[in-house]
Amino acid sequence: GINAEYGKQWYQRRVREAVVSTQSTGSPSLNTPIPAVIMVVLCEFLYLLVDVNLLIPCLGTVEWFFYAVTFSVLIYLRYKEPKTPRPVKIPLVLAFGLFCVTVTFVILPLFSPDS
């Protein structure tokens, strides 16, 4: 029992150290995480292989979806935890309006004849 628990903790610590050391290596002169920059460059090369006219509307819809999720979480937290201190308090009318606009931008492309 205790040996298995110790082995599990040792394994988790080794995995965590390996992940942190490989993902957080940075350039001391540029202050950038090198693996993240390499991944972005590889993704950009993959984008070159795809038709850009197809890629732009898809990524735009995904971007508006995440904006809608952000505004929905903002509204949810304002009702669930109203006393929590926040650096900026957006009026709920503005949050509801922006949520409706972003949901519209997500739903409308689903019914467009081009998609």
Side-chain angles (χ1 to χ4, degrees):
I2 193 128
N3 289 334
E5 183 64 31
Y6 177 74
K8 184 174 102 176
Q9 289 176 357
W10 179 83
Y11 175 75
Q12 288 174 344
R13 187 171 48 248
R14 291 291 163 212
V15 168
R16 185 174 52 243
E17 289 172 1
V19 169
V20 169
S21 67
T22 58
Q23 291 180 349
S24 66
T25 55
S27 168
S29 61
L30 300 175
N31 289 329
T32 57
I34 294 171
V37 172
I38 291 171
M39 183 60 86
V40 168
V41 170
L42 290 175
C43 287
E44 293 297 328
F45 281 124
L46 289 175
Y47 290 156
L48 291 175
L49 300 174
V50 178
D51 184 21
V52 175
N53 293 327
L54 174 70
L55 187 65
I56 290 173
C58 292
L59 292 179
T61 303
V62 170
E63 181 181 2
W64 284 111
F65 171 74
F66 282 110
Y67 287 141
V69 169
T70 301
F71 289 121
S72 67
V73 168
L74 185 139
I75 294 166
Y76 173 77
L77 287 177
R78 284 289 295 271
Y79 280 113
K80 196 70 171 170
E81 299 177 15
K83 302 290 185 195
T84 304
R86 294 174 175 84
V88 176
K89 268 197 169 180
I90 296 177
L92 279 176
V93 173
L94 182 63
F96 276 119
L98 290 172
F99 175 73
C100 292
V101 168
T102 55
V103 166
T104 304
F105 286 160
V106 171
I107 292 175
L108 281 181
L110 298 176
F111 299 109
S112 109
D114 295 335
S115 35

